[in-house]
Amino acid sequence: MWNRKEVKEKGKQAFLRNYWKCVLVALIYLFVSGGSPNVSVSTSLPSSFSNALSSVFSKKNFDDYDDYNFDDDRYDDDGYDDLGYDDIGYVNVGYDDVGYYEFDMGDAVRPLKRYASWGDDYDMGDSDFSGSARSAVTVFVIVMIVLIMFVLMLLLMAISFAFKAFVLNPLAVGCDRFFLQNQSEISPLKYLSSGFDKNYKNVVKTMFFKDLYIYLWSLLFIVPGIIKRYEYRLIPYLLAENPDMTKDEAFEISHRLMDGQKWNAFVYDLSFAGWEILAAFTCGILSVFYVNPYKTSADAALYEAIRYGSKKIEEDNVVSNL
């Protein structure tokens, strides 16, 4: 059974022996494994687009139909002043035989409309270009804009997903390989490309399904996704050690090794919370130059402890002290 204190101490010592390279690789690892910055796509509409939608549906755009004010004291009950004008300058030309009156539009662009003499509502059926036609055009434009935005969003998501699958995931495996090698000796930066050098297709496929399964399990609320994330935690390290390991083997070995270790690994992660809080007070400076490389190096030591036991930690410590 591995000891949390021993694992963290081994990871810290390995990190300090190769300080600047570990800082650089940990920063790269932060980028490729979901830290900040990260490649992401927002599913929310831009604020400018939202503002455009609200302006389209604003009352101002429909003032041709509903801004007639008959509450002004200058107007009598039928909405006209003593000179025969209403509050927007239209002339009452009289009532027809069905109880409707018409507005003389004068120089206005809008066509002649017919209004019920007993109320404020207009008869849309008698308009040459009715409000329903305007609404139909507005709805069509909005639908087209939403469809274009949706297609662009899907395109960006596809590009982001492909970039992660074919570039970031193999690079993450290379970072894991660097930190694994660094546990017992000074590791060179050439290990960063190890995820691309050997059996690249297998690395891409296995990491793709790892991300996919975690995502699908996360849809069942949050807890199942967290459990699966810990269950598949060792897969990148398994690929880093053996890129020829098949997808089924990697999932089966990670599942078996993490059986009964998920809670211990969770407590291990929580033990870095104090460092993370302290790093926040330094605007992330402490995180870049100490916390992240320390945690990433300790994660590699944790993999070795889970897979090979505490004996591996003792052997590596002896080798590194020689």
Side-chain angles (χ1 to χ4, degrees):
M1 182 64 182
W2 56 276
N3 181 277
R4 184 172 67 251
K5 183 178 180 181
E6 293 178 355
V7 167
K8 295 175 67 175
E9 181 62 25
K10 181 190 177 183
K12 182 172 68 173
Q13 294 302 321
F15 151 54
L16 294 177
R17 285 197 308 269
N18 198 9
Y19 179 80
W20 288 109
K21 289 181 182 179
C22 288
V23 169
L24 175 61
V25 177
L27 193 60
I28 296 174
Y29 192 83
L30 184 68
F31 170 75
V32 302
S33 62
S36 177
N38 185 31
V39 179
S40 60
V41 178
S42 174
T43 58
S44 61
L45 295 177
S47 58
S48 58
F49 180 62
S50 300
N51 294 335
L53 291 180
S54 61
S55 64
V56 166
F57 288 107
S58 65
K59 184 177 184 294
K60 182 179 179 181
N61 289 320
F62 296 96
D63 60 359
D64 291 346
Y65 312 113
D66 57 6
D67 66 351
Y68 305 102
N69 181 11
F70 294 102
D71 296 331
D72 197 300
D73 294 338
R74 295 177 301 160
Y75 304 96
D76 53 22
D77 293 339
D78 61 1
Y80 291 87
D81 60 13
D82 296 337
L83 297 178
Y85 290 87
D86 68 358
D87 60 341
I88 52 177
Y90 294 159
V91 180
N92 178 17
V93 296
Y95 296 90
D96 59 14
D97 54 356
V98 293
Y100 287 79
Y101 57 81
E102 296 179 345
F103 290 118
D104 181 5
M105 306 300 289
D107 296 331
V109 177
R110 292 172 296 180
L112 194 67
K113 299 181 184 297
R114 297 168 63 85
Y115 291 82
S117 59
W118 53 82
D120 299 340
D121 297 331
Y122 58 87
D123 182 5
M124 295 177 61
D126 294 332
S127 172
D128 295 333
F129 188 63
S130 66
S132 61
R134 289 176 181 267
S135 299
V137 172
T138 301
V139 170
F140 174 77
V141 172
I142 293 174
V143 169
M144 291 303 299
I145 293 175
V146 171
L147 286 177
I148 292 173
M149 294 292 295
F150 181 71
V151 171
L152 290 176
M153 183 184 70
L154 290 180
L155 180 61
L156 290 175
M157 290 178 63
I159 295 174
S160 173
F161 197 79
F163 184 69
K164 177 175 174 57
F166 291 101
V167 178
L168 298 186
N169 281 344
L171 187 56
V173 172
C175 291
D176 290 331
R177 175 61 179 167
F178 171 88
F179 280 104
L180 281 176
Q181 191 69 26
N182 197 62
Q183 297 301 308
S184 57
E185 61 183 15
I186 301 299
S187 181
L189 292 176
K190 68 178 183 179
Y191 285 113
L192 291 178
S193 63
S194 60
F196 302 91
D197 295 340
K198 187 177 181 182
N199 212 340
Y200 170 71
K201 292 182 180 180
N202 181 63
V203 171
V204 170
K205 181 180 71 173
T206 304
M207 292 294 289
F208 167 80
F209 280 103
K210 169 184 172 289
D211 292 338
L212 179 63
Y213 292 160
I214 291 175
Y215 172 75
L216 293 177
W217 277 102
S218 297
L219 296 179
L220 302 176
F221 304 104
I222 299 176
V223 175
I226 296 176
I227 294 175
K228 289 299 177 180
R229 186 178 296 274
Y230 277 94
E231 181 178 322
Y232 304 150
R233 179 177 184 139
L234 305 184
I235 290 177
Y237 295 100
L238 293 169
L239 293 175
E241 280 194 321
N242 184 11
D244 294 327
M245 181 178 293
T246 66
K247 174 181 74 69
D248 293 338
E249 289 176 338
F251 275 85
E252 193 278 327
I253 293 175
S254 181
H255 171 75
R256 175 168 50 82
L257 291 175
M258 291 302 296
D259 186 24
Q261 299 288 350
K262 298 182 187 68
W263 176 253
N264 294 329
F266 177 72
V267 174
Y268 157 84
D269 288 335
L270 286 181
S271 67
F272 288 90
W275 282 110
E276 297 293 346
I277 294 174
L278 186 61
F281 286 102
T282 65
C283 300
I285 296 177
L286 181 62
S287 181
V288 171
F289 292 102
Y290 187 82
V291 179
N292 283 335
Y294 171 28
K295 174 68 164 61
T296 311
S297 181
D299 286 347
L302 175 64
Y303 163 76
E304 289 189 341
I306 292 177
R307 187 170 192 190
Y308 302 109
S310 300
K311 183 178 180 180
K312 176 66 174 175
I313 295 179
E314 297 174 358
E315 291 175 352
D316 287 343
N317 286 333
V318 171
V319 173
S320 62
N321 292 329
L322 293 178

